Structures are given as C-alpha cells and as structure tokens.
C-alpha cells in the first residue's frame, strides 16, 4: 500500500516543479521503496523498474538532470530486458532518456530514441495517445534546434492535426 501511495502522490506532482511536503514525502517513500523492491523482488522486476522510473521523475522535477538521466537509462536497459521490443514501457523509457539528453544539449542517440518511441507508440496505441504526440513534439523541437525546420514541420503539423481532432480549432490545448 505504501507503493501505491507513493505512486499516487508522484502522479499528482507530474508536471510540477515546486517541491511541496507531498513531493518530499513521495521522495522519501520512493527512496525507501527502491531498496526494498530490489531486495524482495529483484533488480529486474517490473515493480522495481517502475519504482526506479518514479525515482527518475523525482530527480527530473528537482532539476537534477544528470541523476534523472542515469536512472532513466537504467530503466530503459531494464525495460529492454523485461519486455518485447514493441512494448510501450520501452517507448516511455526511451522518451524519458531522450528528453533529459535533449535538455543537457543532446547526444548522438537522442533522435534515435525519440524515433524508436514514436514507432512503438504508433504501432501500439496510435498517434492520438498523448505520449505519442509529445514524443513527436520533442523530436520536432530537437530538429528545430538543429536548424532542420523542413524535417520538423511535418511532425509539428501531425501533432496539430491530432490536437485539432481531439479538442477542436479553438481549444486552448491547440492554441498553446
């Protein structure tokens, strides 16, 4: 039940950059849960990997990009070992690694990670899944930063098409 509580608290904090008592409580619980999950379930268990991903999220929201990258990379490696190549958990982990790499100036494999995630999302959950269009947006931002506007534009148009289809032309989701 403590795991559920920690994950629910963390879920509520997603997107927040403010450290609150809830944030600090979630951090303390996850810091306690990870060694417990590793010892009781093993390093390569889906629950252990999920807790490690949540720990990465906490470091990401604390702006400790280096530690988040380390944890997300481990989650990606473990997800590749646990799941088939087209599993959405791999796409989520690849997106997380690519995001922190992009934030720290990008690495050679960043684009490949976004592309892999996009392909998995398209084959498993489709283009309208939020993580799918977010990955396309992030890839387009990476390309734009590299002055590759002609390659970025179709990705951004596809995201815009999804948002218009989901929310209508006048929605704040689309306008933002």
């Amino acid at each position: 039940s403590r795991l559920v509580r920690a994950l629910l608290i963390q879920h509520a904090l997603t997107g927040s950059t403010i450290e609150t008592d809830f944030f600090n409580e979630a951090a303390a619980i996850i810091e306690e849960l990870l060694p417990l999950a590793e010892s009781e379930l093993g390093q390569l268990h889906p629950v252990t990997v999920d807790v490690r991903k949540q720990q990465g999220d906490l470091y990401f929201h604390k702006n400790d990009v280096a530690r988040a990258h380390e944890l997300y990379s481990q989650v990606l490696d473990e997800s590749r070992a646990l799941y088939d190549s087209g599993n959405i958990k791999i796409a989520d982990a690849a997106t997380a690694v690519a995001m922190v790499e992009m934030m720290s100036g990008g690495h050679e494999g960043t684009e490949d990670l976004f592309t892999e995630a996009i392909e998995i999302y398209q084959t498993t959950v489709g283009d309208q899944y939020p993580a799918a269009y977010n990955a396309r947006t992030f890839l387009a931002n990476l390309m734009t930063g590299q002055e590759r506007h002609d390659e970025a534009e179709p990705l951004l148009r596809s995201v815009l098409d999804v948002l218009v289809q989901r929310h209508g032309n006048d929605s704040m989701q689309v306008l933002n």
Side-chain angles (χ1 to χ4, degrees):
S1 77
R2 291 182 77 190
L3 173 61
V4 171
R5 181 173 168 217
L7 296 178
L8 289 175
I9 291 170
Q10 176 57 32
H11 177 73
L13 292 171
T14 301
S16 174
T17 57
I18 299 170
E19 287 190 37
T20 63
D21 289 341
F22 292 119
F23 183 92
N24 292 327
E25 182 180 0
I29 292 169
I30 288 172
E31 293 293 334
E32 185 179 322
L33 280 176
L34 187 56
L36 179 64
E38 289 174 336
S39 69
E40 296 295 320
L41 302 172
Q43 177 99 3
L44 199 58
H45 188 280
V47 171
T48 305
V49 175
D50 285 345
V51 174
R52 191 176 337 283
K53 167 69 168 68
Q54 294 298 317
Q55 187 181 41
D57 293 345
L58 286 168
Y59 280 99
F60 179 81
H61 289 292
K62 286 179 153 181
N63 292 318
D64 187 343
V65 176
R67 182 69 176 129
H69 182 268
E70 178 184 323
L71 290 163
Y72 288 153
S73 295
Q74 186 175 352
V75 168
L76 179 57
D77 291 343
E78 292 167 348
S79 295
R80 289 187 197 284
L82 279 170
Y83 305 110
D84 292 333
S85 62
N87 190 291
I88 195 167
K89 294 279 192 176
I90 294 172
D92 292 342
T95 299
V97 172
M99 275 285 301
V100 294
E101 287 181 357
M102 188 173 76
M103 289 176 65
S104 62
H107 295 286
E108 201 169 296
T110 303
E111 184 173 339
D112 292 338
L113 290 170
F114 279 133
T115 301
E116 176 185 13
I118 291 165
E119 289 171 0
I120 292 170
Y121 290 136
Q122 287 176 332
T123 60
T124 57
V125 293
D127 289 340
Q128 293 203 7
Y129 187 68
Y133 59 78
N134 285 340
R136 288 197 313 274
T137 301
F138 298 141
L139 178 56
N141 289 339
L142 178 69
M143 290 173 166
T144 299
Q146 297 170 342
E147 303 292 324
R148 295 166 51 201
H149 304 286
D150 290 345
E151 294 172 76
E153 185 178 347
L155 290 169
L156 291 173
R157 287 193 185 281
S158 71
V159 171
L160 181 61
D161 289 345
V162 168
L163 292 174
V164 167
Q165 186 177 13
R166 289 183 75 170
H167 303 287
N169 278 327
D170 298 327
S171 170
M172 287 305 293
Q173 288 278 6
V174 174
L175 298 175
N176 287 329

